[in-house]
Amino acid sequence: MRLYNTLTRRVEEIVPIEDGHVRMYTCGPTVYRHAHLGNLRTFMLADLIRRGLELEGLRVTQIMNITDVGHMTDESSPDAVDKMLLAAEDEGLEPLQIAEKFAAAVFDDSAALGILPADRYPKATEHIPEMIELTQRLIDRGHAYVVDSGSVYYDVTSFPGYGKLSGNTLDKLRAGHRDLETDSRKRHEADFSLWKAAGPGRIMKWDSPWGEGFPGWHIECSAMSMKYLGERFDVHTGGNDLMFPHHEDEVAQSEGAVDHQVVNLWVHGGHLRQSGQKISKSTGNVVRVHELVERGLDPLSFRWLTFTTRYRSEMDFTWDAMEDADRHVKQLRRRMAEWSPAATELTAAADGFDRRFRDAVADDLDMPSALKVVNELVATDQVTDHEKFALLGTWDGVLGLDLEREAREDWEPTEEMLELMAERDRARDAKDFAAGDALRDRLADMGLEVMDTHAGTKVRPRH
Ligand code: AMP
Ligand code: ZN
């Protein structure tokens, strides 16, 4: 698979560091509010990369963090407030209750959108010792400094590569920030906090060598990604807005700590907008998964909708397009029910479709082209219905549209099948296992999966 690497500004082949195994870190949700479809589009990008790699036969280890401390309302302002604490105050709950509530909600929404679970969801609040240790390492290596208040800042001038990911190099930043009010304790405008001293009344705080405080947002992703994926891993994903400062600062931290490149490929997804507006938690102009359900739309259809646009492009959300996507997906499921069961062998024509689909996915996730192949396959008469069923069943590993849903629900064995099943049960009752096996083979030859249950032989289409 080839992906656009923000770091090199080129489309590059993923060559796993460990043979056959891709390790991927995804910046997860800040759990102070419900996720909206924009956040979920970005989580679906990581899911799509994973599904695409798995289609190629690679193993993927995916880590997605849960940000439950340290993400401030404005990372560049000294007066910013922790989003978690703000929400806790608003809702009259403890910060950890807020985290639990919204983490559970984002898991539900992700499942509804067919996002496969990551291998782990490490929480920032459960990795404070790792963040303190990393911060100490950066101090020891001359990349960070402690100020009187008990806060620790990263010294961006100590890291020559600062700006290589986002293009925000120090000369540009200095010019851009000249007139802005900055934290006077910082040596450079672009220095960012690794650890923040707890102000009066702050409830989420931990002991540290620099006094009571809490970690910066960026350090959590350095600490947790390297803890779970090692000091060199393959892919790191997030939305475009995270490129700077979050990921730029992560590069400075992680590479500053280990003295070599840590992440091979940085992948950033374009935002989702509604009527030209950016959908974001702070503006309130958001669409959530439950609204899809309330309108009678299948949340999985949102997957199809996102596939109509390349992942790096911004995308407009409209209800018309969403309804269109929903019609498409439901129609495909109906066709699948008509076509089942699956062919076991593919002809050259079917193989050709398969290759084109796989090529599109591997080509920097060119899903609009992949959908074109799907539509052409549905329409063609060069390929049998059973082959169509088999191909779409395989491709659904990437699409995640549950295309076999209706086929599963609708399907009934024919009279002939029922007769063979009954015959097989009689043979087995009579302990004539040779006959039983022969009947199993005949059912299997009809494209069926044969199961032995307490109630006797059961069959279903083999997909
Ligand atoms: P947050 O929960 O705010 O920390 O964001 C979680 C993820 O959603 C991050 O990767 C963001 O880059 C991404 N994100 C935020 N807003 C949007 C949007 N409107 N469209 C796509 N992704 C977004
Ligand atoms: Zn992150």
Side-chain angles (χ1 to χ4, degrees):
M1 177 184 291
R2 296 175 303 286
L3 288 173
Y4 181 84
N5 187 353
T6 307
L7 189 63
T8 58
R9 289 148 182 79
R10 276 199 313 263
V11 175
E12 285 175 13
E13 181 83 33
I14 298 185
V15 184
I17 295 165
E18 187 190 312
D19 207 19
H21 178 201
V22 174
R23 284 167 293 161
M24 173 164 72
Y25 185 88
T26 297
C27 285
T30 310
V31 282
Y32 68 108
R33 271 192 207 169
H34 285 290
H36 52 65
L37 291 184
N39 304 128
L40 291 158
R41 180 190 183 202
T42 295
F43 300 148
M44 280 169 52
L45 166 60
D47 180 65
L48 185 61
I49 294 172
R50 172 216 177 137
R51 286 169 174 271
L53 291 168
E54 287 177 349
L55 182 74
E56 294 188 351
L58 292 159
R59 180 160 84 85
V60 179
T61 296
Q62 190 191 358
I63 305 296
M64 183 193 267
N65 69 298
I66 302 286
T67 300
D68 55 359
V69 67
H71 193 173
M72 313 302 274
T73 46
D74 175 359
E75 290 298 324
S76 59
S77 158
D79 306 321
V81 195
D82 193 316
K83 293 178 173 185
M84 294 299 299
L85 291 176
L86 215 55
E89 219 167 85
D90 279 358
E91 300 212 14
L93 294 172
E94 294 298 314
L96 289 183
Q97 291 175 307
I98 290 286
E100 212 165 293
K101 170 177 166 179
F102 291 111
V106 81
F107 288 143
D108 285 349
D109 288 344
S110 301
L113 290 180
I115 295 174
L116 299 172
D119 292 86
R120 265 172 187 274
Y121 296 94
K123 295 195 186 84
T125 51
E126 291 173 2
H127 295 78
I128 305 293
E130 286 85 348
M131 296 181 217
I132 290 176
E133 199 206 298
L134 190 55
T135 301
Q136 186 62 55
R137 199 164 1 146
L138 289 168
I139 296 172
D140 295 344
R141 300 178 70 104
H143 284 300
Y145 56 94
V146 187
V147 297
D148 297 345
S149 59
S151 290
V152 183
Y153 287 100
Y154 191 96
D155 173 6
V156 291
T157 61
S158 75
F159 185 70
Y162 196 83
K164 65 182 172 183
L165 182 69
S166 64
N168 287 322
T169 47
L170 293 184
D171 46 333
K172 286 187 193 152
L173 284 172
R174 209 172 276 137
H177 275 231
R178 196 175 295 136
D179 299 326
L180 290 182
E181 197 183 315
T182 55
D183 185 341
S184 58
R185 292 163 301 185
K186 290 202 265 182
R187 293 183 192 160
H188 187 286
E189 294 90 334
D191 288 355
F192 55 91
S193 43
L194 301 173
W195 187 261
K196 296 180 199 182
R202 162 111 197 168
I203 42 177
M204 288 179 104
K205 59 184 179 186
W206 292 265
D207 274 331
S208 83
W210 319 286
E212 280 192 332
F214 59 100
W217 173 34
H218 318 311
I219 195 76
E220 75 176 61
C221 285
S222 283
M224 291 191 279
S225 64
M226 290 198 287
K227 169 164 181 171
Y228 293 105
L229 296 175
E231 291 181 359
R232 293 179 199 271
F233 62 93
D234 302 289
V235 183
H236 195 311
T237 74
N240 261 335
D241 57 311
L242 298 193
M243 204 186 292
F244 186 84
H246 185 53
H247 290 163
E248 192 69 63
D249 292 350
E250 187 181 327
V251 170
Q253 294 164 159
S254 300
E255 298 192 6
V258 301
D259 265 344
H260 59 69
Q261 188 171 342
V262 174
V263 177
N264 275 358
L265 241 132
W266 286 88
V267 183
H268 290 102
H271 268 213
L272 185 75
R273 291 168 172 269
Q274 189 182 26
S275 19
Q277 288 280 34
K278 198 163 117 176
I279 296 186
S280 80
K281 288 183 192 172
S282 46
T283 63
N285 181 15
V286 302
V287 180
R288 286 174 39 203
V289 169
H290 75 92
E291 291 175 70
L292 304 179
V293 180
E294 280 158 17
R295 289 180 184 236
L297 302 165
D298 186 329
L300 293 184
S301 303
F302 180 63
R303 298 180 69 88
W304 180 283
L305 180 62
T306 63
F307 297 154
T308 59
T309 304
R310 293 296 288 265
Y311 73 86
R312 286 204 290 137
S313 307
E314 286 205 338
M315 182 183 149
D316 277 317
F317 180 89
T318 66
W319 286 105
D320 279 352
M322 181 62 217
E323 276 156 18
D324 223 38
D326 194 58
R327 267 193 298 275
H328 244 100
V329 169
K330 288 176 177 164
Q331 197 179 4
L332 256 183
R333 290 196 188 123
R334 265 193 305 277
R335 300 305 301 273
M336 288 289 276
E338 291 160 20
W339 295 332
S340 63
T344 43
E345 302 261 334
L346 296 185
T347 57
D351 266 336
F353 279 98
D354 195 29
R355 210 170 25 253
R356 283 177 56 211
F357 180 87
R358 288 168 187 262
D359 285 349
V361 175
D363 181 15
D364 196 22
L365 305 171
D366 183 358
M367 298 311 288
S369 293
L371 292 192
K372 222 170 125 213
V373 180
V374 169
N375 290 335
E376 284 176 28
L377 176 77
V378 172
T380 188
D381 53 12
Q382 306 292 306
V383 166
T384 68
D385 290 351
H386 296 313
E387 287 177 313
K388 291 181 184 183
F389 189 95
L391 284 176
L392 281 167
T394 305
W395 299 350
D396 206 25
V398 173
L399 301 170
L401 299 170
D402 197 15
L403 291 177
E404 291 173 20
R405 186 184 295 171
E406 276 199 40
R408 242 183 353 253
E409 287 163 2
D410 275 8
W411 191 84
E412 305 248 0
T414 62
E415 282 302 316
E416 186 193 2
M417 291 171 189
L418 288 170
E419 186 45 51
L420 290 171
M421 287 156 67
E423 213 177 303
R424 177 164 185 267
D425 287 340
R426 284 194 295 274
R428 285 167 63 88
D429 286 345
K431 306 238 176 302
D432 184 352
F433 294 112
D437 287 349
L439 286 157
R440 160 190 286 275
D441 291 346
R442 278 181 65 190
L443 287 163
D445 286 344
M446 298 168 94
L448 300 173
E449 182 182 344
V450 184
M451 298 162 288
D452 297 317
T453 74
H454 291 302
T457 302
K458 293 262 181 267
V459 296
R460 63 178 172 212
R462 189 176 49 234
H463 296 154

